[in-house]
Amino acid sequence: MTSSNSNSSREVSLERKTGETDIKLAVNLDGSGAGKRNSGIGFLDHMLDLLAKHALIDLTVEAKGDLHVDDHHTAEDIGIALGTAVDQALGDRAGVRRYGHFTLPMDECLVTSAVDMGGRYAFEYNAPIAASKIGTFDSELVEHFWQSFAVNAKCNLHVLLHHGSNAHHISECVFKATARAIRMAVESDPRSDAIPSTKGVL
């Protein structure tokens, strides 16, 4: 994976190329939701649009994957690339809030997402989707995308579905709630420019 970071802002562009996918991704943590998402998977593009809008990050994704097999590798590798880009854009994490959480209602669904951008990975996910497919998209890839993100963003991520039944709504609720939690965690803390840890390092 190759990447570049702008010294003047929290922007990262990177490329990830494997035998299964070829991904170009750019992120700006201080954005507005701008950018284009073209994963080759319509439903995933919709979720990435929601992520960018509600996290207020600019996100551009151009991906080519082995979609003749299934959507797994493409969804996974975009999660990996996005997590890596966010980790790099945060740098030493000085001056950020570090923690974020959001409980989001969407129709019959209610999801809480909490994140610690503290440089360590942990993942707890309890947002089951009864339907195996959302259109042609494997619903299990919603969880797998976020696990791939959390590993590479080096964050704790906890996602909990309180209630909900519609597969599309649950997925959308998870992406929106997590985006809002990420937005809170990566925002600049107006009261401190220090590394948010008593250890002095994250």
Side-chain angles (χ1 to χ4, degrees):
M1 190 180 300
T2 59
S3 63
S4 62
N5 184 284
S6 169
N7 292 326
S8 60
S9 62
R10 300 189 300 169
E11 298 179 60
V12 169
S13 298
L14 58 80
E15 296 184 22
R16 175 182 171 83
K17 189 169 185 177
T18 73
E20 299 161 342
T21 62
D22 186 352
I23 296 168
K24 296 179 177 64
L25 183 145
V27 68
N28 177 4
L29 297 184
D30 301 305
S32 62
K36 294 183 179 180
R37 278 64 68 174
N38 183 16
S39 67
I41 306 167
F43 182 77
L44 182 58
D45 288 344
H46 176 40
M47 294 299 105
L48 294 173
D49 288 345
L50 297 173
L51 170 58
K53 179 68 174 180
H54 288 274
L56 281 184
I57 62 174
D58 294 343
L59 174 63
T60 296
V61 178
E62 188 68 37
K64 297 177 181 178
D66 55 356
L67 300 182
H68 63 285
V69 176
D70 62 12
D71 297 343
H72 184 103
H73 296 138
T74 301
E76 176 182 55
D77 285 6
I78 291 173
I80 290 171
L82 178 59
T84 301
V86 169
D87 175 53
Q88 291 180 4
L90 285 170
D92 65 4
R93 289 160 165 77
V96 301
R97 295 183 184 275
R98 176 178 169 179
Y99 297 100
H101 62 91
F102 206 87
T103 298
L104 189 134
M106 181 179 173
D107 297 337
E108 87 291 357
C109 295
L110 186 68
V111 168
T112 293
S113 185
V115 65
D116 171 14
M117 289 292 180
R120 295 188 304 275
Y121 165 71
F123 184 70
E124 294 292 337
Y125 189 94
N126 187 4
I129 299 174
S132 62
K133 294 281 189 179
I134 309 171
T136 60
F137 187 76
D138 291 331
S139 59
E140 66 182 11
L141 293 179
V142 175
E143 176 178 355
H144 192 56
F145 172 89
W146 284 114
Q147 182 178 26
S148 300
F149 169 85
V151 170
N152 291 276
K154 300 174 186 172
C155 70
N156 292 182
L157 176 59
H158 295 247
V159 178
L160 175 63
L161 171 68
H162 300 280
H163 45 256
S165 56
N166 181 278
H168 189 123
H169 291 170
I170 293 171
S171 177
E172 190 161 328
C173 211
V174 167
F175 268 81
K176 286 179 177 178
T178 306
R180 290 276 173 166
I182 291 170
R183 172 180 169 180
M184 183 186 296
V186 305
E187 280 180 339
S188 297
D189 187 336
R191 296 183 59 193
S192 175
D193 59 3
I195 290 174
S197 172
T198 54
K199 297 175 183 178
V201 64
L202 287 173

